[in-house]
Amino acid sequence: MQTDSNTTSDLTFEDFKTQVLNDYTIAITSRECSLLGRREVLTGKAKFGIFGDGKEIPQLAWAKVFKNGDFRSGYYRDQTFMMAIGELTIEQFFAGLYANTDIAQEPMSAGRQMGGHFGTHSLDENGNWKNLTEQKNSSADISPTAGQMPRLLGLAQASKIYRQVEGIDTTNFSKNGNEIAWGTIGNASTSEGLFFETINAAGVLQVPMVINIWDDEYGISVHAKYQTTKENISEILKGFQRDEDNKGYDILKVNGWDYPALIETYQKAEQIARKEHVPVMIHVVELTQPQGHSTSGSHERYKSKERLEWEQEFDCIAQMSKWMISNNIATQEELDALNKTIKKKVRDGKKAAWNSYLQPIKNEQEEANILLTALAESSTNKVFINKITDQLKHIEEPARRDIASTVRKALRYVVSEDSIEKDRIQTWINAYIETVQPKYSSHLNSTSKHAAINIKEVLPTYDSNAEQVDGRLVLRENFDAIFGNYPEALVFGEDAGNIGDVNQGLEGLQEKYGELRVADAGIREATILGQGIGMAMRGLRPIAEIQYLDYILYALQIMSDDLATLHYRTKGKQKAPLIVRTRGHRLEGIWHSGSQLGGIINLIRGIHVLVPRNMTKAAGFYNTLLESDEPALIIECLNGYRLKETLPNNIGQFKTPIGVVETVKEGTDITLVSYGSTLRIVEQVAKELQEVGIDAEVIDVQSLLPFDINHDIVKSVAKTNRLMVIDEDVPGGASAYILNEILNTQNAFQYLDGQPKTLAAKSHRPAYGTDGDYFSKPSAEDIFEAVYDVMHEASPNDFPKLR
């Protein structure tokens, strides 16, 4: 079921009639799926439903101009479009509603997202790119309102890069940059800052992006008069309309129930965006929501009688039916018969999807019942086991939770018994959880051969007379090598271009590689991240620079909800190997001393978080990541750019391993664990501690996510029997995470002779000035005294109290 995109060549009336009837069939099919889907939620077979009813006809017009290679970045109302481009069947629609974990049956997310969240497969079974120019593409949706907009910007910018930058292998990704990125958003969501930030950025960049705004006048129950100035988003954005003297947008407005006008409008939008690389906004007005916002409530509660009557009359399918009848394309009788046929087809598809979802679980239920029955017969607690077994047997539509919960409870009744039946059911439940858990938990990180942890370390090498240079020059020379070796690599951010970033790590590279590859960006962190996500999804290797770690909070929602979850929510079928570059840690002042890592590492699981102590280590991380297929955040030490480092002679080739700690000083008395700028202070203190007879082992974490995959820290603790984590984040921040990893994941507690300690910053942000830093974050004296106190507790005679 797919709409015919042949809308420009001459057609006979019969051909035209066939196309229209095909479109109508798709629209009715989608509507019936919405209506039946709501009933499935209300009966309890599905948990939640949010549907595309009322938006069917404009999405048919859009599908006609959507070409192979194009990308969609939309939201949860676009089911008709997905059906029209041939990427969503009735069975797949209901498989998504039921959360079927079989990706062959539910290809959008294998049940990991609510229904209505759509994505296509960009990767093959081995995690390699498919040819995206030979298929119609949808980036995987997210629910957070307007969160799809920043990614849309990058998807569009990729076409500009592919068209204008020479030397890139475009085989799987672009045909001369002719691809359009199409976005969709509801009228109410245009109130979000992410929408406005994206609109402005796209107008500046002039990229082939078309934004569809589905306007039904409401945001759940809130009318447009409370959402949008003048109640009209295209009206207030008229200033973005391009003219003879100024670049900008073309802004088009069309009624969502007017089938021929919609087709004409979308043809016009496509020509502008595809040929001229000019962004277009299509404001589709007078749309309806026949079932309201979602299954959570009824729109009759907040819409007037007059509004409801108008919606019934101007429902887009009702209007298309009238137009078809008046133009002799079909009679009412023919449409009634077609509607009846489609209703049956949707019911049959729903039934098939439900059976496909339920039958494997029922098979698992039967296996468990057989084992439970045998267990009961062998147990002195037979009556109790039979009771819960009978409860499981009588669940007609079981969930896997019911099965696992029952079996695990049954084992409690035989905990003191020994039997073959007990052994069998223990083996079964362990295997069951091992098999089932990945259906819900796999692919947070890459499992391909390109995974970052598979990239082997390559040490920097040095000439005998190697030069001592500012750390920034190690970075600059390494970036120069990267851009020379990787034509698809590019960097962009605030002040990243003309002046070569605020710390001169990109000095002179814009002049060498051009403004598209080393680019300045506006003060708009969320869409800088979005540019990177979208371009990475289309095969480029972007480095998105956020000027300071503090400012990453502007983009944290995009990193958390979109980038971090992408590989997981598509069960490994999409990826965005974006590198986010920033600088943080110790400086002076509240706003430029960012160490908010306790929050960051808990919000962006799925993204590697790397904290190099110097610029050589940082450069090695960039080199590693460019050989991998995963996203990462690299935090360069803000106070390290002018510190002297030895310039390697294998620039661009050495690689810092990810997930591997480094022991920078061996010792026997206590293990000190830290990272970044604070690690350098710890190194200094370790020398001072030796003067009083304390031999500390110093370990550089280097990588917070993943953390010490070889479990080297516990080996150190087994030797020293003492542990201290030193961190410049707030108490309970990153230090708590590190301590949890060492104690609970690596089980280091068994080797400790005393309480493990953490030394963190004060709970507030650092006050301004040198003294502000000294009294806000761990100083050398703080670290010395904290370590000394540990040794004093262990041996007060050898280490008398300091103060």
Side-chain angles (χ1 to χ4, degrees), residues 455-473:
I455 308 300
K456 301 301 181 183
E457 179 179 18
V458 176
L459 292 170
T461 57
Y462 303 93
D463 294 330
S464 58
N465 59 345
E467 185 180 2
Q468 292 288 305
V469 300
D470 289 347
R472 72 173 185 90
L473 293 177

Side-chain angles (χ1 to χ4, degrees), residues 6-7 55 96 116 210 359 514 537 599 621 660 684 693 782:
N6 184 15
T7 57
K55 316 297 187 291
V210 181
Q359 193 56 52
M537 292 185 75
F621 277 137
V660 178
Q684 169 197 331
D782 291 333

